Every structure is written in C-alpha cells, then in structure tokens.
Amino acid sequence: MTYAIDPELLPWLDMLPAVTLTDHESLLAARAAMTELGDVLPNYEPVHPVDVRDTTVPGPSDAPEVPVRVYAPANRTGAVPGLLYIHGGGFVLGDLDMFHAALLRLVDELGIVIVSVDYRLAPEHPFPAPVEDCYAALQWVEAKAAELGIDPARLGVAGESAGGGLSAAVALLARDRGGPALSFQYLGIPELDDRLDTPSMRAYTDTPLWNRPNAVFSWTSYLGADPGDVSPYAAPARATDLAGLPPAFVTTCQFDPLRDEGIQYAQRLAHAGVPTELRHYPGTFHGSGMVENAGISRRMFADEVDALRRGLRI
C-alpha cells in the first residue's frame, strides 16, 4: 500500500531499522539492529544535572532479580513525583538503553524520578514473566519511595508500544491486587489486543517498523502458539471491567496496525468513568516519534510532557 506519511518523516524511512520478525534468526537480527539504533539517534545532554544509576530489585516469586535504571534530578529538594517506565519492543526487543535519551529529557524537563524496567523478554520468557517483572518493580518503587525521593501519592506508569500495553496491564494488576496506588497511566501507541482483528491491524501489513506480520510474531512469542484463554493482564483489551483505573493519556499513530486498539481502549476507559485523553497523530507511523526533528514528533513529545505534568500533578 501507499501511505500519506508526513513529508518530514519520509527522508528517515531508509535510516530506521527494518524490523521483520518471522523466526528466531530474524529476531536475533532485529535485536542487533535495535542495539545499533543508538548510533543513529541523537544523544541528549541534560540542562540540569541528572543522577543515573543501574541496580536490581526483587523479582516476582521464584524469579530472578529485575534490572532497573533510576533517573533522578540531582538538585531536587523534597519528594517529587515518580514514574515507572516500561520500554517497547513487541515483548521481544528492547533494553534499558532503548529510551535512555528520551528518559533523560523527561527528567530534565519535569524534575521527576523515573525508574526504567529491564523486564525479561519473550519468547525466552513468555507471559506472565514480563508483566510480573514490571509489577515487581512498581512494588519496589513504592516500598523505596522515601529513599528514592518519590512522593507515593504521585506515582505513575508509562510506556510505548508493548511498554504501553504492559503499562495498562500493570495498572490493572495494581487495581486488582490492592496497590500500589497509581495516579496516572501514559499509554503511548499501546499494544493491547492479541486478537489482531481491528481494521488497522487487518489492513496495515507493510507499514514501517511495525505491521501485522510483526504483531503476529509478537503475540505468538508472548503467549505461545496455543494460548487458550488469554488473561487481561496479558492483553488488556480483553479486560471486561476498566472501572477504578487511574487517569489515562493514550496516543495513536495513523499508519500503525495498533491504531484502532488504542482508540478503542481509550473509548472503553472513558465509558468506564476513567478520566481519559486520546491524541491521534496524522501522517505518522509506529515509532515515528524517533525522528525528533519532525514537527509532528516535536508536538508528540510536547503533548507527552504536558500529559505527565498534569497527570503527576507537577
């Protein structure tokens, strides 16, 4: 198909990694390509000093410790809001370096503490390992809030792509397990529905970076070839009750197979009484925000900063 992609994004299409997920060999190649992506994307030098440290936190029961990266404003006085950040990558790609520059920038702009989670990846570690790692990290953030300088009353969760789906799942787990209490959820271009049956998912078989074939591989890796009854903590779109969840900000891109499931989830959140904002960006594709210099990408980042500012009551 031909897509009316924003003209400022077009020159970057050949420079972004071609992610084609069909088998284990292609997955290993994609992981290598994502590692090399750091050489293409610009670094970020904070205006204000930011302390960054890597550590590990207790994992789920009978599971390994979970690596996390803690970002904190060096000159903060008193407790500030906290954000658990969950990287994207279709449940099968990504690490702590994937969004490092973006998180430095958020801490610099907002003066918050961010804890980024290096959860285990599928297919080596299918559901529930990734989401349980993220939930364990959230429990650690709450338990260590005073030590981290976080105001526990202003704790949110955020992520993009699979990280957006995992963020939605963590919000469901936190509600259903009685905490930790979340004040906000940022669901960026979220991967939410394993049923692969929305109009955008059926139509977008060859879109840049992410498309239906990749989504099929992603969900099969996460759930297995014959998952049976799929848990809403794996695919939040399957949750029948969305009441009582924290306020949400949801973003979607026009030429993204995940577009419609994000829109539908935002609609259902609003219908369940959850304060919800939805931003849809024309001419964009999944992950196009990596092209930071494009006007639409600058607007997307400004909207993210504003949403976090309001959602975490900064």
Side-chain angles (χ1 to χ4, degrees):
M1 292 176 64
T2 301
Y3 305 103
I5 291 172
D6 187 295
E8 289 187 272
L9 299 174
L10 285 175
W12 287 84
L13 287 180
D14 291 337
M15 287 180 272
L16 294 173
V19 179
T20 303
L21 300 174
T22 56
D23 53 24
H24 190 65
E25 186 174 325
S26 67
L27 173 59
L28 295 178
R31 286 175 176 171
M34 296 304 289
T35 301
E36 294 168 4
L37 185 61
D39 299 331
V40 178
L41 298 178
N43 292 322
Y44 180 78
E45 291 297 331
V47 177
H48 309 96
V50 176
D51 291 332
V52 180
R53 66 182 176 96
D54 290 353
T55 187
T56 57
V57 306
S61 178
D62 299 322
E65 291 191 320
V66 181
V68 300
R69 182 169 293 168
V70 182
Y71 302 78
N75 299 329
R76 69 191 185 281
T77 57
V80 299
L83 186 70
L84 182 78
Y85 188 84
I86 305 173
H87 70 75
F91 309 116
V92 299
L93 303 168
D95 55 26
L96 291 176
D97 294 328
M98 189 175 187
F99 288 89
H100 178 69
L103 298 186
L104 276 176
R105 190 174 174 190
L106 284 177
V107 173
D108 200 22
E109 294 255 1
L110 295 169
I112 63 176
V113 173
I114 295 180
V115 177
S116 180
V117 191
D118 194 14
Y119 56 89
R120 288 170 289 171
L121 298 176
E124 296 89 343
H125 304 283
F127 174 81
V131 69
E132 291 291 355
D133 283 358
C134 296
Y135 181 72
L138 179 66
Q139 291 179 299
W140 178 82
V141 171
E142 182 192 48
K144 299 292 185 179
E147 181 181 320
L148 294 167
I150 289 175
D151 176 1
R154 293 184 291 166
L155 178 59
V157 63
E160 297 211 351
S161 189
L166 288 165
S167 295
V170 165
L172 287 166
L173 282 173
R175 179 197 65 180
D176 296 345
R177 293 178 179 176
L182 291 171
S183 63
F184 184 64
Q185 53 178 326
Y186 176 90
L187 311 180
I189 51 175
E191 185 173 5
L192 300 159
D193 195 346
D194 67 294
R195 293 167 292 194
L196 307 170
D197 198 31
T198 64
S200 61
M201 183 58 74
R202 291 194 299 269
Y204 295 151
T205 60
D206 60 352
T207 37
L209 284 183
W210 203 247
N211 48 50
R212 180 183 175 87
N214 284 348
V216 171
F217 182 89
S218 169
W219 281 110
T220 301
S221 298
Y222 192 40
L223 300 176
D226 185 19
D229 292 332
V230 175
S231 166
Y233 306 129
R238 288 183 176 267
T240 57
D241 179 14
L242 301 182
L245 290 168
F249 189 93
V250 184
T251 70
T252 57
C253 291
Q254 183 174 2
F255 302 116
D256 182 354
L258 304 182
R259 180 192 66 203
D260 295 344
E261 61 201 70
I263 291 172
Q264 290 171 8
Y265 197 72
Q267 289 177 319
R268 293 185 56 224
L269 284 167
H271 190 67
V274 177
T276 304
E277 287 188 58
L278 169 67
R279 298 288 170 87
H280 175 68
Y281 298 99
T284 56
F285 53 87
H286 191 85
S288 63
M290 289 189 289
V291 185
E292 295 179 3
N293 291 331
I296 190 71
S297 300
R298 292 197 300 270
R299 182 151 61 89
M300 292 170 75
F301 182 74
D303 288 346
E304 179 179 2
V305 169
D306 180 63
L308 290 169
R309 192 182 305 280
R310 290 180 289 110
L312 298 175
R313 304 192 302 278
I314 298 170

